[in-house]
Amino acid sequence: MLFEWLLGSWLLLLDWLIRLAALLWIPSRTTPGAARSWLLLVGFVPLLGLPLYLLFGHPWLSRQRVQRQAEASQVIREEQALQPPLRWTPLPDTATAEMVPLVERQGDFMPVHGNAVELLTDYDGSLQALLDDIDQARDRVHLLYYLMFDDGVGELIAQALQRAAARGVQCRLLLDAVGAKRGLRRYRHRLQAVDVDVRAMLPGGLRWRRSGRMDLRNHRKIAVIDNRVGYIGSQNLAQAEFVPGFPNRELVARVRGPAVAHLEAVFASDWYMETGQRLEVMMVEPVCADDVPTQLLPSGPAYPFSNARDAVNALIHLARRRIVLVTPYFVPDEATLSALRIAALSGVQVQLILSASNNQHLTAWAQEAYYDELLRAGVRIALYEPHFLHAKHLTVDDDIALVGSINLDIRSFALNAEIGMLCYAPSLVRQLIDIEADYLRQSRQLDLEAWRQRPAWRRSREGIARLADALM
């Protein structure tokens, strides 16, 4: 009996010591929203919550990776300083004039003119364009993707890289170690056998301590061929139905001009961060007659600030007439939620376009918890029904567009390495507005009164899921 009493007392003491330590430690190391979620978990199950927090609670990267990103940023800034004719200058006293310095100071890249940007909305068509460009490569092919599956598309990409390598083209394939696990297992050794350099980004397992927090991911989707053409967008290297029952609809931008060299610089930065190998990047590219000004926005834990979150919030605040935001995953932090609410209450037409279907149930339940508040403020919410809408982009008034890999969720803002491209051309914004209009024609607009008729059990489920927003 004495032993059982001592054991019970010791466990009770340990239980409360963990709670008190968490209360003193966690808020000083995480954002208030994340601290709330973790303290709730530790409060309920201390012996489980503490080890989970130690593994996943703080979005840290190794000191070496942070240092390598700082070195790459310095090189990018120095190289751009040697190319002043490529810099594009916005008109003063405009929203664009406010965005440009913010994006450049946080993400390193200046805006450049002389680009041609082609928006690709057809899933198979965009993959075929990439394959065609790889088959025309003469010097180098650099692919950086979050996901590559061992399916028909993965096979086509592998075969294209094999053909390019046989022509003497230098091919490098950089894949996220978790997202592209199946593709790495299937194609890595086969491609390496023909001199395609294949690397896994942010490896897990016993090597995670040399990279960073275990669930940090490189979510970028970038392709650069010969410094002649580049791709940026939401589409992975997989078939449209790589998640059964959820065929994806995507948006990809095919780019020519000086912006291609900037995409190459992002690839080279990630390559250096992962391998320590410095790649030569040609920062001078021919200017295209289309003359679309663009500016790259890389973001992720390696940067001092939350680049993606800050840029998205700035765009919301700068909107004067309308803003349309398209994302498959919508779990905003408090700053983004507040920005959307303020914009709508100020008279800006705010339209969210989300996917009616979702392959991540917990995320879907959490995002539903925000609908009532946003609808009350006047934000319009449309649910796209034909496919899983995996595209990620937004338009502000008639002046600014943002396309890339950035979701409007806490994971994209704080945990993932992401890439976005801002376009400051009204002609391109109009093209994207037409694409958004096509989404809306195939969407169901939510009505506040009808939404409030949902069962009480769904409201409870949404509220519980929202408590875990910082853990997703």
Side-chain angles (χ1 to χ4, degrees), residues 326-387:
V326 180
T327 181
Y329 308 116
F330 178 72
V331 185
D333 60 4
E334 290 299 325
T336 307
L337 188 65
S338 176
L340 290 168
R341 185 177 61 248
I342 291 170
L345 291 171
S346 300
V348 175
Q349 180 181 318
V350 181
Q351 175 72 68
L352 274 174
I353 305 178
L354 311 174
S355 185
S357 60
N358 199 309
N359 62 347
Q360 297 187 16
H361 296 302
L362 186 61
T363 299
W365 299 338
Q367 74 181 31
E368 290 176 350
Y370 298 92
Y371 292 172
D372 190 286
E373 178 180 353
L374 292 171
L375 290 169
R376 280 189 287 114
V379 175
R380 301 179 184 182
I381 302 175
L383 302 181
Y384 179 80
E385 297 187 314
H387 304 90

Side-chain angles (χ1 to χ4, degrees), residues 35-85:
R36 175 202 65 203
S37 299
W38 283 110
L39 287 173
L40 184 65
L41 179 62
V42 173
F44 272 104
V45 279
L47 294 178
L48 175 64
L50 180 62
L52 285 177
Y53 175 79
L54 293 175
L55 288 174
F56 302 112
H58 186 61
W60 64 274
L61 272 177
S62 68
R63 184 176 301 176
Q64 181 187 64
R65 287 176 180 267
V66 173
Q67 179 61 34
R68 285 179 176 177
Q69 179 60 65
E71 293 171 7
S73 294
Q74 182 64 30
V75 171
I76 289 169
R77 292 175 180 273
E78 290 174 354
E79 289 293 328
Q80 290 178 119
L82 301 176
Q83 304 297 331

Side-chain angles (χ1 to χ4, degrees), residues 11 16 46 123 127 150 265 311 322 390 435:
L11 289 175
W16 278 101
Y123 196 101
L127 283 169
D150 53 347
R322 58 175 294 282
H390 191 249
I435 293 171

Side-chain angles (χ1 to χ4, degrees), residues 288-465:
C288 298
D290 289 13
D291 202 23
V292 175
T294 67
Q295 186 176 22
L296 283 192
L297 173 68
S299 66
Y303 290 89
F305 302 101
S306 298
N307 299 356
R309 181 200 62 192
D310 293 349
V312 168
N313 288 346
L315 288 167
I316 296 170
H317 286 301
L318 288 170
R320 291 296 173 262
R321 297 183 304 280
R322 58 175 294 282
I323 181 169
V324 180
L325 306 100
V326 180
T327 181
Y329 308 116
F330 178 72
V331 185
D333 60 4
E334 290 299 325
T336 307
L337 188 65
S338 176
L340 290 168
R341 185 177 61 248
I342 291 170
L345 291 171
S346 300
V348 175
Q349 180 181 318
V350 181
Q351 175 72 68
L352 274 174
I353 305 178
L354 311 174
S355 185
S357 60
N358 199 309
N359 62 347
Q360 297 187 16
H361 296 302
L362 186 61
T363 299
W365 299 338
Q367 74 181 31
E368 290 176 350
Y370 298 92
Y371 292 172
D372 190 286
E373 178 180 353
L374 292 171
L375 290 169
R376 280 189 287 114
V379 175
R380 301 179 184 182
I381 302 175
L383 302 181
Y384 179 80
E385 297 187 314
H387 304 90
F388 176 44
L389 184 58
H390 191 249
K392 311 138 194 307
H393 52 87
L394 63 84
T395 55
V396 176
D397 298 331
D398 302 314
D399 311 307
I400 304 175
L402 173 63
V403 301
S405 68
I406 301 168
N407 294 311
L408 299 183
D409 65 359
I410 295 171
R411 166 158 287 280
S412 264
F413 288 168
L415 303 180
N416 288 345
E418 303 282 7
I419 186 68
M421 182 175 70
L422 290 108
C423 301
Y424 303 115
S427 59
L428 187 101
V429 175
R430 285 193 295 270
Q431 293 179 45
L432 202 49
I433 289 174
D434 289 340
I435 293 171
E436 295 164 350
D438 183 60
Y439 296 158
L440 290 172
R441 283 191 291 270
Q442 303 177 74
S443 299
R444 168 172 52 92
Q445 290 279 2
L446 288 182
D447 174 77
L448 178 58
E449 294 306 316
W451 178 248
R452 286 179 169 174
Q453 300 306 311
R454 69 197 186 282
W457 65 266
R458 285 189 57 183
R459 299 186 187 198
S460 298
R461 183 180 69 181
E462 295 159 10
I464 294 171

Side-chain angles (χ1 to χ4, degrees), residues 259-282:
V260 176
H262 288 188
L263 287 170
E264 177 81 332
V266 174
F267 178 92
S269 297
D270 281 355
W271 189 267
Y272 176 58
M273 189 182 296
E274 191 60 46
T275 69
Q277 178 184 357
R278 298 174 183 265
L279 302 180
E280 182 181 355
V281 178
M282 299 295 295

